[in-house]
Amino acid sequence: MAAENDFLLIYAESDNGKRIDIIFEHYDNFLELADMFEGRLFDDIKEEKGFNRREARGDLGIRVQTSGKSDPTCMEATGNLTLIQDINDHVK
């Protein structure tokens, strides 16, 4: 994990020329690295959104279904799709 953070920090702080050098140096697995970092970003954002939602409600961590009409699987899938679209829109 520390190596991943170092790699990201070096890449983020580099100018465009150095970034191109880094991409060429790691070309064989650069797309895999980008996918891995995107996946971690997705997970981090999803966890933070969930935490913020629970914090705003004053949730103590115990879920009680009261309406009988909730579909948590559908809500999670919709949220995941929206988040993926937001990340892709931001990257473009």
Side-chain angles (χ1 to χ4, degrees), residues 35-51 54 76 80 83-84 87:
D35 288 342
M36 179 182 65
F37 293 131
E38 183 178 329
R40 287 189 49 210
L41 174 65
F42 175 82
D43 292 340
D44 290 346
I45 291 172
K46 185 176 169 185
E47 283 299 315
E48 187 171 343
K49 285 175 74 173
F51 174 80
R54 289 187 302 273
E76 182 175 356
N80 289 347
L83 182 55
I84 290 169
I87 290 172

Side-chain angles (χ1 to χ4, degrees), residues 14 26 32 39 48-49 64 89:
S14 299
H26 300 283
E32 293 172 10
E48 187 171 343
K49 285 175 74 173
V64 178
D89 289 346

Side-chain angles (χ1 to χ4, degrees), residues 19-67:
R19 286 181 180 179
I20 290 172
D21 291 340
I22 292 170
I23 291 170
F24 282 145
E25 182 179 339
H26 300 283
Y27 180 76
D28 56 337
N29 64 348
F30 192 79
L31 293 177
E32 293 172 10
L33 288 170
D35 288 342
M36 179 182 65
F37 293 131
E38 183 178 329
R40 287 189 49 210
L41 174 65
F42 175 82
D43 292 340
D44 290 346
I45 291 172
K46 185 176 169 185
E47 283 299 315
E48 187 171 343
K49 285 175 74 173
F51 174 80
N52 291 339
R53 185 174 46 252
R54 289 187 302 273
E55 182 82 10
R57 285 192 309 224
D59 193 342
L60 300 176
I62 300 170
R63 182 177 184 275
V64 178
Q65 184 170 346
T66 57
S67 68

Side-chain angles (χ1 to χ4, degrees), residues 78 80-90:
T78 303
N80 289 347
L81 181 60
T82 302
L83 182 55
I84 290 169
Q85 289 172 340
D86 289 345
I87 290 172
N88 289 336
D89 289 346
H90 183 71

